[in-house]
Amino acid sequence: MSDLAAVAEVLARGDAARAVVRVLDRHGFGTVEPGQLLVAGADGTLGGMLLRGALDERATALAQDARDHPATVEAHVAEDAAVAAGLACAGGATLLGHPLDAAPARALAAAFASGVPAALISRADGSASLAITGDELGTVEGSLGFATVDAAAAAHVRGLLRRGATVTERVTLAAGADVLVDLWVPVPTITVVGGGAIADALAAQAGVLGWTSRRADTVAEADAAVATFTDADVLVLIDHDPAFDAVLRTGLEGRGFLGALGSRRTQAARRERLLAAGVTEQQLARIHGPVGLDLGARTPAETAVSIVGEVLAVRSGRDPSALGRAAGPIGA
């Protein structure tokens, strides 16, 4: 979601018409990152990118025209230009540009800014679109024209969300509508405060999951990181220095998962300090400590697995247990 901050800024501006440009169909280019989007505001301001900028000229022109009516263009990128843009090979794409009403635009902007899942679904001709946002994709803004089609679209993207990955696809819904779907699933950033083998293991585990990881070794570094957290982001406090209580207090005023290592004695001492500093019991309930699932972890690598396991469980609203003892659908 690296380009979505700029997209959110454009989408959030006023109630005037804005347009979005997306990749409807493509051939070639090799592996292409999904969820790419170009947005044009009413004042002509642009945000986002398509195919690593290889189609900027065609996409920009389409974005300006599409504020008034939907349109498609065919674009081709030669081998040299594709490689220069970081694509694997030459290719062609059908670009769809279409207007986006204020309500779905604001919903997408808020979701991108806060780091929660978001989906944009439009008819393949660009004649109608809706946005679905929220942790469980429960909020719908806009319409594809019929309630049955809207319901089918919502069910489809909620099914995609369970895969946990950003997706771009063109599909025919059960209701018979030909639609273009973009689903954005935030990539967490895990901020580890402190060093050592567990910090290294957490960075490695983040890499396996496709998450971003960063180290913070001072209160100022950690405080600055936590102050910008979205709902997708994670703090793991390894350092037991009481000075880092300030970082937890900052985190309690914002978003994200807050976890702290340490013995139960360490947790109790931290709890008393935070209560004395004015933190409420309700706020303290947001701190996961000792952080991690009870997996019997003994090594730093196993501890890292238990920590990210708890993060995943909290994000999905699950009470972890063995799949073999569960009665419901796997992955549902």
Side-chain angles (χ1 to χ4, degrees), residues 7-322:
V7 169
E9 290 182 8
V10 178
L11 288 174
R13 292 179 182 176
D15 295 325
R18 77 271 292 150
V20 294
V21 179
R22 305 148 71 197
V23 178
L24 181 63
D25 292 301
R26 67 175 180 85
H27 59 270
F29 299 123
T31 300
V32 175
E33 181 181 355
Q36 295 192 37
L37 184 69
L38 181 70
V39 180
D43 59 357
T45 304
L46 296 172
M49 181 185 297
L50 289 176
L51 296 171
R52 299 190 180 182
L55 297 175
D56 273 358
E57 185 175 345
R58 300 298 300 275
T60 298
L62 178 59
Q64 305 296 355
D65 293 340
R67 285 176 294 175
D68 299 319
H69 55 81
T72 60
V73 299
E74 300 295 330
H76 179 77
V77 181
E79 190 79 21
D80 290 347
V83 172
L87 301 168
C89 59
T94 303
L95 303 182
L96 170 66
H98 62 87
L100 189 63
D101 291 340
R106 284 196 294 264
L108 288 176
F112 293 158
S114 61
V116 298
L120 174 61
I121 305 100
S122 67
R123 289 188 175 269
D125 62 3
S127 60
S129 57
L130 59 78
I132 308 179
T133 61
D135 288 327
E136 301 297 326
L137 294 179
T139 302
V140 180
E141 296 285 355
S143 175
L144 296 173
F146 298 93
T148 53
V149 179
D150 294 347
H156 181 76
V157 294
R158 288 165 189 156
L160 293 177
L161 180 62
R162 288 194 286 269
R163 302 179 190 175
T166 295
V167 176
T168 294
E169 64 178 14
R170 182 176 180 177
V171 297
T172 301
L173 298 174
D178 182 17
V179 300
L180 176 62
V181 175
D182 279 299
L183 169 67
W184 295 273
V185 178
V187 176
T189 294
I190 181 168
T191 299
V192 181
V193 181
I198 292 178
D200 294 340
L202 279 167
Q205 186 64 45
V208 170
L209 294 170
W211 298 0
T212 300
S213 67
R214 60 186 172 189
R215 275 273 301 278
D217 294 316
T218 68
V219 172
E221 291 172 350
D223 208 48
V226 172
T228 63
F229 267 16
T230 70
D231 291 339
D233 295 322
V234 178
L235 171 76
V236 178
L237 179 59
I238 295 177
D239 197 310
H240 299 347
D241 188 334
F244 286 104
D245 290 355
V247 179
L248 291 173
R249 294 200 301 273
T250 299
L252 289 170
E253 297 300 322
R255 299 185 170 101
F257 177 100
L258 306 177
L261 267 73
S263 67
R264 300 197 186 280
R265 179 179 297 179
T266 297
Q267 303 294 334
R270 181 185 290 120
R271 171 188 171 82
E272 293 305 315
R273 293 195 304 269
L274 289 171
L275 286 171
V279 174
T280 67
E281 291 282 358
Q282 184 177 10
Q283 289 176 312
L284 278 174
R286 282 197 55 215
I287 300 174
H288 301 267
V291 66
L293 299 180
D294 185 8
L295 303 179
R298 297 183 181 278
T299 68
E302 291 171 352
T303 300
V305 170
S306 79
I307 292 170
V308 299
E310 183 177 11
V311 173
L312 292 172
V314 169
R315 286 176 61 189
S316 63
R318 296 299 184 91
D319 183 9
S321 61

